[in-house]
Amino acid sequence: MTTITAKNKLEVETQQKFFEVTSGKDIILALQHLIAMFGATVLVPMLTGMNPSIALLTAGIGTLIFHFVTGGTVPVFLGSSFAFIAVINSVKEANGGDYAYAQGGIVVAGLLYVLASFVMKKVKYESLKKILPSYVVGPMIMVIGLTLLPTAYGMAQGNLIIASVTLLTALALNLFGKGMLKQLSIIIAVAVGYIVSLALSQVDISIITSAQLFQVPAFTLPKFSLDAVLTIAPVVLAVFMEHVGDITTNGQVVGKDFIKNPGLHKTLLGDGLATAFAALIGGPANTTYGENTGVLAITKNYNPAILRLAAVFAIVLAFVGKLGGTLRSIPTPVMGGISVILFSMIALIGVKTLKSAFEQKEVKVEARTVITALAIVVIGLAPTYLPSEMASFFSIRLTENIAISGLSLAAIVGIILNSLFGLVKRA
């Protein structure tokens, strides 16, 4: 006779509620998540010559794959990964503009993620916690948010008035709003910013009018070459650490340890399968999105089913051109204003993680913790905030097109320092 544990019962209940929507508010919350991820997800194909509709479709399906693999317990959205842009363009150029060979490399990268998930399954949770204590995790989360902030500011610079109105609306609703008004602060702020943009003639309506009502995305199959695989596969080293940081950040927001349950091996498996699937039909590599984690932090609504509903909306958008056109018509400064608050929330979560660890005496304020935390922050922020000549000292070049820097290198250095200080302390 099979014994039903509390964990098994939770998994069954989660699977039963995979697409359950309890109210109209959930639909609006899902749309809010969709708006948050839309701009960045379609930007990657625009920069690499891929099909934006395929990117939306694979982001939606990839998110559903991730939720299925992880038991539907982690409230994340997968979108197009920026880490692969340079190598995709390099492989395309080497193959006469044929993106299919880059697809083949991304398929292999996804499968390497899957392989990594099997390896991580053998690593005990206690060992992972020793490798990733709070004074390593907290600074990593800070780096994620602070690295994204300049991008948000760059988006806002197109029209600081529109961006400021959008940002101040979101802040006001978060500070003074209550209940549903506060939870929907992002979508309300975007709507206000959009209306102001219309009044200032800053909205390109032709994007909506020229879009087809229905469209079938142009699917493409991958081609494989050893050169393409060897160019793209090493990126996995960098995005692995980003994945750890994103999943940890998401858990800190929600108040759960997703490294423990469902486990890092399952989140890696979900991400890897989503990436491999995306590349098989012409989409970019997938990754967890900080924008959506920021939305979680603001709304305090952590229901994973809402993220799955957002994924369904993304799939629909891939086939309904008018809806996609409407979202594409949202002026960049509007999204810049919103992104400022979303990315700031992520950085603040990192600060709170570190502060909480010290207050609860999980770790002590001593030389090894301070040095490790500072090293992560300095190395992680170097590519974003230092001149390129100085930033080059904080990177390790693997190939002509691939270098480990930023969060990836910061996480590696943090883990190494933590391990070395641990050995010295025990000696």
Side-chain angles (χ1 to χ4, degrees):
M1 184 175 178
T2 305
T3 302
I4 300 178
T5 64
K7 181 180 177 181
N8 290 336
K9 183 179 179 181
L10 177 62
E11 289 178 349
V12 171
E13 289 176 350
T14 301
Q15 291 167 359
Q16 290 173 343
K17 298 177 180 178
F18 202 77
F19 287 115
E20 183 176 327
V21 177
T22 58
S23 66
K25 184 183 78 172
D26 288 347
I27 295 175
I28 300 176
L29 286 169
L31 288 171
Q32 194 165 241
H33 276 286
L34 180 68
I35 290 171
M37 58 67 65
F38 182 85
T41 290
V42 299
L43 180 59
V44 172
M46 289 178 180
L47 294 175
T48 55
M50 291 183 286
N51 188 317
S53 295
I54 295 289
L56 280 171
L57 178 65
T58 54
I61 295 177
T63 298
L64 297 180
I65 290 172
F66 180 93
H67 280 249
F68 179 78
V69 170
T70 58
T73 58
V74 187
V76 304
F77 195 102
L78 300 188
S80 306
S81 173
F82 282 73
F84 289 82
I85 291 176
V87 290
I88 287 174
N89 287 332
S90 175
V91 169
K92 277 184 61 181
E93 184 179 345
N95 290 277
D98 190 351
Y99 169 65
Y101 287 99
Q103 284 180 246
I106 296 172
V107 169
V108 174
L111 294 178
L112 287 175
Y113 245 52
V114 172
L115 180 63
S117 74
F118 293 133
V119 174
M120 295 310 298
K121 188 176 181 180
K122 301 296 183 181
V123 180
K124 293 183 179 179
Y125 172 74
E126 291 75 15
S127 300
L128 283 174
K129 291 301 289 183
K130 288 181 180 178
I131 295 171
L132 295 167
S134 298
Y135 59 89
V136 170
V137 170
M140 283 171 59
I141 297 172
M142 290 166 58
V143 167
I144 292 172
L146 293 174
T147 299
L148 292 170
L149 266 179
T151 301
Y153 180 69
M155 295 166 66
Q157 277 188 311
N159 192 311
L160 290 175
I161 293 175
I162 293 173
S164 298
V165 168
T166 307
L167 173 60
L168 291 173
T169 301
L171 285 173
L173 289 172
N174 270 279
L175 291 173
F176 306 111
K178 295 182 179 179
M180 185 174 179
L181 193 64
K182 185 172 184 177
Q183 287 198 16
L184 302 180
S185 60
I186 301 299
I187 199 168
I188 293 172
V190 169
V192 170
Y194 195 88
I195 292 169
V196 173
S197 300
L198 282 169
L200 297 176
S201 301
Q202 296 296 307
V203 179
D204 185 359
I205 301 298
S206 66
I207 297 175
I208 304 173
T209 56
S210 63
Q212 295 180 348
L213 182 58
F214 297 104
Q215 60 186 12
V216 177
F219 300 106
T220 58
L221 293 174
K223 297 177 182 177
F224 295 89
S225 75
L226 183 60
D227 287 343
V229 170
L230 292 177
T231 299
I232 291 177
V235 178
V236 172
L237 295 173
V239 295
F240 174 83
M241 296 312 304
E242 290 180 354
H243 177 92
V244 173
D246 288 340
I247 293 298
T248 303
T249 304
N250 196 276
Q252 290 292 332
V253 170
V254 177
K256 294 182 180 179
D257 190 347
F258 294 133
I259 299 295
K260 182 177 183 179
N261 183 28
L264 184 59
H265 63 289
K266 285 191 177 181
T267 62
L268 281 170
L269 179 61
D271 207 338
L273 291 176
T275 290
F277 168 78
L280 282 173
I281 63 172
N286 280 330
T287 188
T288 47
Y289 256 36
E291 288 89 337
N292 296 95
T293 300
V295 174
L296 292 174
I298 290 171
T299 63
K300 303 294 190 293
N301 190 314
Y302 311 132
N303 182 2
I306 292 173
L307 278 298
R308 294 190 282 272
L309 184 58
V312 172
F313 288 157
I315 295 170
V316 171
L317 274 183
F319 294 93
V320 183
K322 291 291 184 185
L323 291 176
T326 301
L327 287 182
R328 286 199 304 276
S329 73
I330 298 175
T332 301
V334 173
M335 296 311 300
I338 282 298
S339 296
V340 168
I341 189 172
L342 294 180
F343 299 151
S344 296
M345 287 298 299
I346 293 174
L348 185 60
I349 291 161
V351 174
K352 287 183 176 179
T353 300
L354 200 55
K355 180 182 176 183
S356 176
F358 288 134
E359 287 180 346
Q360 296 176 13
K361 297 183 179 180
E362 179 184 335
V363 293
K364 296 179 181 179
V365 180
E366 51 189 359
R368 69 188 187 101
T369 58
V370 173
I371 291 172
T372 303
L374 281 176
I376 292 171
V377 172
V378 171
I379 294 172
L381 298 182
T384 305
Y385 291 95
L386 292 180
S388 56
E389 296 81 7
M390 295 179 64
S392 62
F393 290 103
F394 297 92
S395 67
I396 299 175
R397 187 154 294 281
L398 300 178
T399 68
E400 183 180 349
N401 297 301
I402 304 168
I404 297 179
S405 62
L407 175 63
S408 303
L409 181 59
I412 292 170
V413 170
I415 290 170
I416 291 173
L417 283 176
N418 175 53
S419 301
L420 290 176
F421 282 131
L423 290 173
V424 171
K425 190 175 182 179
R426 287 192 294 269

